[in-house]
Amino acid sequence: MALYLITGIGGFIGSSLARELLRRGEQVRGIDNFSTGRRENLAQILGQIDCREIDILDLEAVKSACAGVDFVLHQAAIPSVPKSVLDPIASNRANVDGTVNVLVAARDAKVKRVVYAASSSAYGDTPTLPKHEGMTPDPISPYAVAKLASERYMISFYRCYGLETVALRYFNIFGPRQDPSSPYSGVLAKFITLMLKGKQPTMFGDGEQSRDFTYIDNAVEANLLACKAPAVQVAGKVFNVATGRRVTLNETFKLLQELTSYSGTATYGEERGGDIKHSMADISLAEKHLGYKPKVNFEDGLRRTVEWYRSET
Ligand code: UD1
């Protein structure tokens, strides 16, 4: 049994990691400042985890949370492109300074490995598809810059201090418990909850933008594989975590009409600043070195997600 520290444990990805680790009989400690993370996400497992209200900007507190830890899964962030455009200082503080604190604490506590929630936004709007890890990054939003900077810090801590780190570039992770309530929420959580209530969703732009929407179970699996893969294959490296397919928002809307029984239309508004048009991953590196294979495809993931939100309302 190993001890895992999840930063951002109250978030949708952090809490999903916690549930799967517990299912596998591992020990879980988690930290969150509960700014965007939610205690309800942890309601069923609170008795089984060591959950601490800690901000990753508080280095001393993060150091104490790292004591005795084997693996750190660093998910804590302000995870929004538009929010970072409005407030780049806050984005940088949480997404870069916070990461450096986690790395310093992990290094000093002699943690075995740190796995980081990096972002496909690092690729920017380059026309090449699929995106592969060998491409030169070209981040657009402050959020994307911060996520890329943190990714480089991961690599730096491996090179300078020998701390094993793995960066996973998430491609639009979605699934149960993703918060739909903020204007910055992920598009699928927003669309599903609106459409289940018979309300009209808004596409920013013409709806022809596409994403490699990745169901949460795939991201969880990738994190756990990244902890266990041989260091020579993964330490100091970056991997796409995605499905290798893309769908447009318009196509997704049609699927959701069936799944939610929403008979209305979508409305179309202004394109969102800092957005990228198309995103799709080449996942061959993760397949080769992590042994990663997407377990749940987009349609099944969407179905499960709609069912979950339906059961919650
Ligand atoms: C998402 C993640 C980000 C992650 C990145 C890459 C969220 C909130 N953001 O960014 O953390 O790093 O993927 O994995 O999950 N849209 C609409 N209507 C809406 C909301 C959004 O049309 O009501 C559009 C957006 O303009 C965008 C697309 O849907 O074109 C996806 O937006 P969003 O879900 O916010 O994700 P990303 O910006 O791709």
Side-chain angles (χ1 to χ4, degrees), residues 55-308:
D55 193 312
I56 51 170
L57 291 172
D58 181 349
L59 177 60
E60 289 315 312
V62 180
K63 279 189 173 179
S64 71
C66 277
V69 164
D70 296 295
F71 301 102
V72 174
L73 305 177
H74 177 35
Q75 313 298 307
I78 299 182
S80 164
V81 171
K83 220 172 181 172
S84 79
V85 175
L86 285 174
D87 192 350
I89 293 176
S91 171
N92 190 77
R93 213 177 281 133
N95 299 336
V96 183
D97 295 350
T99 297
V100 178
N101 281 351
V102 169
L103 280 168
V104 167
R107 179 201 63 188
D108 293 356
K110 302 201 169 17
V111 160
K112 291 192 180 110
R113 194 171 286 180
V114 178
V115 179
Y116 175 58
S119 170
S120 63
S121 57
Y123 290 110
D125 212 5
T126 46
T128 314
L129 289 176
K131 313 282 188 198
H132 63 83
E133 297 85 344
M135 288 167 63
T136 305
D138 189 17
I140 297 173
S141 63
Y143 168 79
V145 172
K147 281 278 161 181
L148 180 62
S150 281
E151 193 183 290
R152 297 306 311 187
Y153 270 116
M154 289 288 145
I155 298 167
S156 167
F157 269 62
Y158 177 58
R159 290 187 181 161
C160 295
Y161 310 109
L163 172 65
E164 290 180 13
T165 58
V166 186
L168 302 177
R169 282 188 184 162
Y170 292 164
F171 282 66
N172 293 78
I173 313 300
F174 74 99
R177 296 183 182 78
Q178 192 168 24
D179 179 11
S181 63
S182 124
Y184 308 115
S185 295
V187 66
L188 296 184
K190 277 173 85 178
F191 277 22
I192 293 169
T193 47
L194 283 171
M195 290 166 78
L196 281 173
K197 289 184 199 141
K199 292 189 182 158
Q200 189 176 44
T202 301
M203 311 249 189
F204 301 145
D206 61 5
E208 283 306 296
Q209 63 265 56
S210 61
R211 294 290 185 273
D212 190 336
F213 289 113
T214 304
Y215 188 64
I216 180 67
D217 288 15
N218 300 322
V220 168
E221 183 69 15
N223 272 274
L224 304 189
L225 289 167
C227 291
K228 295 297 164 70
V232 28
Q233 282 171 217
V234 301
K237 301 232 165 59
V238 175
F239 298 97
N240 288 341
V241 171
T243 70
R245 268 182 63 202
R246 69 188 169 99
V247 287
T248 66
L249 280 194
N250 286 325
E251 289 164 342
T252 304
F253 174 74
K254 279 203 196 102
L255 282 171
L256 285 178
Q257 277 184 313
E258 280 171 39
L259 292 172
T260 62
S261 309
Y262 173 77
S263 54
T265 54
T267 174
Y268 291 81
E270 286 282 295
E271 254 180 50
R272 203 175 63 177
D275 250 10
I276 59 165
K277 189 76 183 175
H278 300 295
S279 177
M280 182 177 79
D282 180 333
I283 54 171
S284 48
L285 210 63
E287 287 176 337
K288 186 169 169 208
H289 294 300
L290 296 178
Y292 166 81
K293 268 243 169 294
K295 282 182 167 172
V296 182
N297 69 25
F298 174 62
E299 287 79 6
D300 288 341
L302 206 57
R303 203 165 296 124
R304 291 187 198 185
T305 308
V306 170
E307 281 322 305
W308 186 84

